[in-house]
Amino acid sequence: MSVFGKLFGGGGKGGKGPSPQDAIQKLRDTEQMLAKKQDFLEKKIDQELITAKKNGTKNKRAALQALKRKKRYENQLTQIDGTLSTIEFQREALENANTNTEVLKNMGFAAKAMKAAHENMDIDKVDDLMQDITEQQELAQEISDAISKPVGFGEEFDEDELLAELDELEQEELDKNLLEIGGTEDAHLPNVPSTSLPSRPAKEDEDEDGMYDLQRWAMEAM
């Protein structure tokens, strides 16, 4: 059994492989486990560093052992970083493959549905149907045009004759108006009086002059 078979719980040759969703979930679980391992190693590195500093002058052997353990933890941490990068890359590739699979599956489903929809369609029948529709639309337009035309019910008139008759009527009305105006010129107007109007009495003029002088004297006195 291969390493990936053991990791994803696969069986022998005849066993069914894991689904993409199961594989993605296992990779995520592995990432979480390694992240916890990183936290643990970082804490151990800090502890060994404190121990080395504490025994640096008192117990060099203990300080050296602490630094050695610190180096081992750092190497393990570096390995885990590389492993996490590989697992993350594999998970993303698997997620993309799973997405592409779903997209292709849906596209295939849509293609089958379109094929089923067109299964009972004949292109020749479609052309005939569209031609019939066009003919019926043209016929409907002709009928609409025929209905909208004015109908005289058999009576046809010459428009020029009608215009000539109208001109004659207008001329007759104009002649009638001219005759009425000519008749008013012969009517007798009242005579203008030949006698002159009576002149204004002299006494009234003198009274008005005296009144004017009196008003002028009053204004000067004020």
Side-chain angles (χ1 to χ4, degrees), residues 41 51 57 70 74 93-94 97 103 117 123-124 129 141 147 164-165 169 178 192 215:
L41 290 174
T51 302
T57 56
K70 173 179 170 293
E74 289 176 346
L94 189 56
V103 171
I123 187 62
D124 295 332
L129 178 61
Q141 185 63 40
I147 293 174
E165 183 177 356
L169 294 174
L178 290 175
V192 178
Q215 290 178 353

Side-chain angles (χ1 to χ4, degrees), residues 14-174:
K16 184 179 180 181
S19 65
Q21 292 82 1
D22 293 339
I24 291 171
Q25 185 59 46
K26 285 187 174 294
L27 287 174
R28 287 175 178 171
D29 294 341
T30 303
E31 286 180 291
Q32 293 177 359
M33 178 189 67
L34 292 176
K36 292 179 180 180
K37 183 68 173 178
Q38 280 181 322
D39 293 338
F40 173 77
L41 290 174
E42 288 174 353
K43 291 178 180 179
K44 294 296 291 184
I45 290 171
D46 293 337
Q47 291 177 359
E48 297 300 334
L49 184 59
I50 292 173
T51 302
K53 289 179 179 180
K54 182 179 180 181
N55 297 309
T57 56
K58 298 179 181 180
N59 190 349
K60 291 184 177 180
R61 181 178 295 179
L64 290 174
Q65 292 296 327
L67 290 176
K68 289 180 181 179
R69 289 191 296 268
K70 173 179 170 293
K71 282 292 182 180
R72 289 199 301 268
Y73 295 148
E74 289 176 346
N75 291 334
Q76 292 181 25
L77 190 60
T78 302
Q79 291 176 355
I80 290 175
D81 289 338
T83 303
L84 279 173
S85 297
T86 302
I87 291 176
E88 183 178 359
F89 174 79
Q90 186 179 15
R91 177 178 55 78
E92 291 176 352
L94 189 56
E95 287 175 346
N96 292 332
N98 184 47
T99 301
N100 293 334
T101 301
E102 291 296 325
V103 171
L104 290 175
K105 185 187 298 183
N106 293 333
M107 291 177 66
F109 181 79
K112 290 179 180 179
M114 186 177 294
K115 183 178 180 181
H118 294 161
E119 187 174 0
N120 297 326
M121 291 186 182
D122 187 355
I123 187 62
D124 295 332
K125 292 181 179 180
V126 173
D127 291 339
D128 294 339
L129 178 61
M130 296 305 299
Q131 186 175 358
D132 291 341
I133 293 174
T134 303
E135 292 177 357
Q136 293 300 321
Q137 288 178 345
E138 292 176 354
L139 179 60
Q141 185 63 40
E142 292 177 359
I143 293 173
S144 298
D145 293 341
I147 293 174
S148 61
K149 290 181 180 179
V151 179
F153 298 101
E155 296 182 0
E156 296 181 359
F157 303 98
D158 189 353
E159 187 174 355
D160 294 336
E161 293 181 359
L162 295 175
L163 290 175
E165 183 177 356
L166 181 60
D167 291 339
E168 291 178 0
L169 294 174
E170 292 177 352
Q171 187 62 40
E172 291 178 359
E173 185 68 20
L174 180 60

